[in-house]
Amino acid sequence: MPTTRPLPVLRPERLRRSPRSFAWLDHRLRSGGILAQLTTDEIALYCFLALAADAQGLSCWRLDRIERELPLDVAALHRARDGLLRADLIAFRPWHAHCLDGMYQVLALPAPTPAPQRGVGPVALGNVLSGFGGVGR
């Protein structure tokens, strides 16, 4: 959680530094409530793909190789991949029709939708009343 003043470094000898090869997770996964909508398996696969991706989010991993890296079987990986596709967090293109393996892309998170502003400018009375269970229609 961000604070208004700097926190003291607890172990300066272990301060993280960005290595030449670097991966990241967008903080909006948490702050935007996306993580709360995912299963544990979907989170594990998403993290794996983010760590495996190049700067454009692209990677090529066979499911049997991912299965060796994560404590998930191929069926669980299929479900997790399908969930991430439905959530629009990754793209997947199989190498050919009916192939289980292919290319992944970790997608940029969608831009946050701005909250509707209240009390800005004139509003038609019918629009105001329609918010009260259809009165005024």
Side-chain angles (χ1 to χ4, degrees), residues 44-78:
L45 180 57
Y46 184 86
C47 289
F48 178 86
L49 293 173
L51 291 170
D54 66 9
Q56 295 177 314
L58 302 171
S59 65
C60 302
W61 280 76
R62 294 189 329 257
L63 286 177
D64 66 323
R65 293 286 313 276
I66 298 172
E67 184 181 26
R68 287 186 225 153
E69 299 283 332
L70 295 177
L72 302 173
D73 61 28
V74 172
L77 288 170
H78 277 283

Side-chain angles (χ1 to χ4, degrees), residues 43-126:
I43 294 169
L45 180 57
Y46 184 86
C47 289
F48 178 86
L49 293 173
L51 291 170
D54 66 9
Q56 295 177 314
L58 302 171
S59 65
C60 302
W61 280 76
R62 294 189 329 257
L63 286 177
D64 66 323
R65 293 286 313 276
I66 298 172
E67 184 181 26
R68 287 186 225 153
E69 299 283 332
L70 295 177
L72 302 173
D73 61 28
V74 172
L77 288 170
H78 277 283
R79 288 190 301 274
R81 180 172 69 193
D82 289 345
L84 293 173
L85 289 166
R86 279 191 306 277
D88 202 27
L89 295 175
I90 65 167
F92 173 73
R93 179 183 296 160
W95 294 125
H96 51 80
H98 309 294
C99 183
L100 300 177
D101 299 313
M103 185 171 74
Y104 293 90
Q105 182 181 355
V106 175
L107 302 174
L109 297 181
T113 55
Q117 295 182 349
R118 295 180 174 259
V120 177
V123 178
L125 182 58

Side-chain angles (χ1 to χ4, degrees), residues 6 8 18 23 29-30 34 41 44 61 63 65 75 90 103 110 117 121-122 124 126 128 132 135-136:
S18 298
L29 286 166
R30 181 199 52 80
I34 296 170
D41 292 353
W61 280 76
L63 286 177
R65 293 286 313 276
I90 65 167
M103 185 171 74
Q117 295 182 349
V128 173
F132 294 103
V135 176

Side-chain angles (χ1 to χ4, degrees), residues 4-26:
T4 56
R5 58 188 174 154
L7 296 173
V9 175
L10 302 178
R11 296 200 40 203
E13 77 280 6
R14 295 283 305 273
L15 194 62
R16 290 177 8 152
R17 306 221 189 290
S18 298
R20 194 171 61 85
S21 173
F22 183 74
W24 79 87
L25 295 176
D26 190 322

